[in-house]
Amino acid sequence: MTDTLRLWMRHEAHPTEARAPIAPADARILTADGIAVTVEDSPQRIFPTSDYARAGCRIAEPGTWPDAPDDHHVIGVKEPEEKPFPLRHRHLFFGHAYKGQEGAGRLLRRFAEGGGSLLDLEYVTDADGTRVAAFGYWAGYMAATLAVLHSRGRLERPLRPLPERALAAVLAQRGEQREQQEQRGGPREGPRGEGAPTALVIGALGRSGRGARSALAAAGVATTCWDVEETRDLDKKALLAHDILVNAVATTEPAPAFLTRADLDAPGRRLSVISDVTCDFTSDRNLLPVYDRPTDWHRPVRRLREGPPPVDVIAIDNLPSLVPREASEDFSADLLPHLRLLGVRTPAWQRCLEMFHAARPHAALTKETDV
């Protein structure tokens, strides 16, 4: 393995971002390979900085990545802080800048001014276009978890990170109101039972869809699963007949919306909770144009219609941070074999760089050809 690769993992600027793209166990493998890994101290990261020090990483102060030598790859989860504005390094993070999202132009200008490049972690794919590493499973898991808890009146605010085992236990508990209803001889919650809540997962076969299905199974919620076949000629009436909708579909091309604002006023609508994994509300690829701004940990739910029944949306753009350890360990393990080849002309990283050049055409005029 090359001894010239240098990685710098920065502290995350977002106050609720506890994830890490490289877990300590994988950092140990990288350093054993002779790769120089610098890790910024971070009080909010789920892994203690001391774990990285024991793994052989050099420790730096938070926010010092702008002073890193030019030959470093700077890695994070979300966009770095605004200062300095120009970005001169090769950066790895989720940029959300290639589908016309709000702020995309500003981010790409930062690279144009600094001469750096973005290796967007969302676009590190294999030859078939499948992402090699993603937080999608845990995004779907949490989208469904929050939807179920809200529908049962048990969603506590503000949200706080919890281990997956704790969330599974919470999901398995029935709400007090439902228990009282059963004691009075009312309808029992069960698969397809009369009065039982139902959920629909769109994109059920992908990573996020699998995560949503796992959470709904833990909660005992009867679930309908749609994927490509079911959405080619989408049955809007069937969609609206479910209590919960979890959207786990992201598209790179404009497509017909799954749900519109007019649909929320349809007679007989049963749908009352929409949980959107993708949060593409500023993009023309948005498949759920029923809301125009995200929700967050302090205000996780926004009402769209008063009803009856009312309709609420959950649209949080860092859902996996609610299970930061599990999400980080899974993502890091998947990314590790590709990080070990960073700096080598492998197809996955070259495709990633080509996406950046395509999004920012003048980047192709630079001398940079290697990742």
Side-chain angles (χ1 to χ4, degrees):
M1 184 60 58
T2 179
D3 60 359
T4 60
L5 178 58
R6 293 174 173 82
L7 293 171
W8 189 295
M9 189 170 76
R10 55 178 170 77
H11 159 77
E12 296 292 331
H14 197 289
T16 61
E17 188 52 78
R19 288 174 292 173
I22 306 173
D26 297 321
R28 183 181 299 277
I29 294 172
L30 293 171
T31 58
D33 279 348
I35 296 171
V37 182
T38 297
V39 174
E40 291 185 1
D41 187 24
S42 177
Q44 68 197 42
R45 188 183 295 129
I46 188 61
F47 305 111
T49 302
S50 57
D51 288 357
Y52 290 99
R54 284 192 292 269
C57 302
R58 174 182 173 271
I59 307 302
E61 290 297 313
T64 53
W65 59 267
D67 299 325
D70 289 344
D71 61 352
H72 280 63
H73 289 73
V74 180
I75 185 169
V77 175
K78 289 188 170 292
E79 182 179 348
E81 53 266 38
E82 282 287 298
K83 294 182 179 179
F85 186 86
L87 296 174
R88 62 183 175 86
H89 296 93
R90 298 183 189 90
H91 282 261
L92 291 76
F93 61 89
F94 290 91
H96 306 295
Y98 298 161
K99 294 191 290 184
Q101 297 100 319
E102 182 178 347
R106 180 177 177 84
L107 174 60
L108 294 175
R109 282 197 301 275
R110 296 182 70 183
F111 286 103
E113 290 191 13
S117 57
L118 171 62
L119 301 175
D120 195 316
L121 293 172
E122 185 176 354
Y123 294 90
V124 187
T125 65
D126 62 19
D128 296 327
T130 302
R131 292 171 61 180
V132 301
F135 288 104
Y137 177 89
W138 293 107
Y141 189 98
M142 289 311 307
T145 294
L146 299 182
V148 169
L149 294 179
H150 177 57
S151 71
R152 292 176 175 174
R154 302 189 63 180
L155 186 61
E156 297 180 359
R157 301 163 174 81
L159 304 180
R160 60 189 179 92
L162 286 173
E164 185 274 335
R165 61 183 180 277
L167 290 170
V170 170
L171 283 172
Q173 297 172 359
R174 288 176 295 204
E176 293 180 3
Q177 183 177 7
R178 184 163 287 106
E179 290 175 350
Q180 293 170 0
Q181 186 180 42
E182 290 181 4
Q183 290 170 3
R184 294 194 301 268
R188 296 178 61 86
E189 179 183 350
R192 304 296 178 191
E194 182 180 357
T198 62
L200 169 63
V201 178
I202 305 184
L205 300 183
R207 280 190 179 95
S208 296
R210 292 198 302 271
R213 287 158 45 203
S214 293
L216 291 165
V221 175
T223 303
T224 301
C225 299
W226 288 1
D227 210 79
V228 176
E229 292 298 324
E230 293 81 4
T231 55
R232 281 200 179 101
D233 187 17
L234 187 141
D235 186 341
K236 195 69 68 73
K237 186 175 180 181
L239 185 157
L240 294 170
H242 293 81
D243 299 278
I244 295 170
L245 168 63
V246 180
N247 174 46
V249 176
T251 178
T252 57
E253 300 293 335
F258 294 152
L259 199 62
T260 67
R261 294 183 182 184
D263 294 325
L264 301 183
D265 299 318
R269 168 186 54 78
R270 182 170 173 174
L271 182 68
S272 61
V273 182
I274 302 167
S275 195
D276 190 9
V277 177
T278 59
C279 295
D280 272 342
F281 56 92
T282 65
S283 169
D284 62 359
R285 281 75 161 175
N286 183 18
L287 297 174
L288 287 179
V290 295
Y291 68 101
D292 59 4
R293 60 193 187 279
T295 59
D296 56 39
W297 290 25
H298 290 278
R299 296 169 297 279
V301 179
R302 178 172 294 113
R303 179 138 299 177
L304 300 178
R305 292 288 189 277
E306 289 299 333
V311 187
D312 296 328
V313 66
I314 300 171
I316 297 171
D317 64 4
N318 65 337
L319 286 167
S321 255
L322 291 165
V323 276
R325 181 176 296 275
E326 293 88 345
S328 297
E329 289 176 343
D330 285 357
F331 179 84
S332 177
D334 287 342
L335 187 63
L336 175 64
H338 301 277
L339 278 182
R340 298 171 81 180
L341 295 174
L342 190 61
V344 180
R345 290 193 180 206
T346 58
W349 291 116
Q350 286 300 128
R351 282 190 292 268
C352 202
L353 187 60
E354 288 165 5
M355 286 293 300
F356 171 70
H357 286 165
R360 196 197 69 160
H362 52 279
L365 300 177
T366 69
K367 295 181 179 180
E368 180 176 17
T369 58
D370 293 334
V371 293

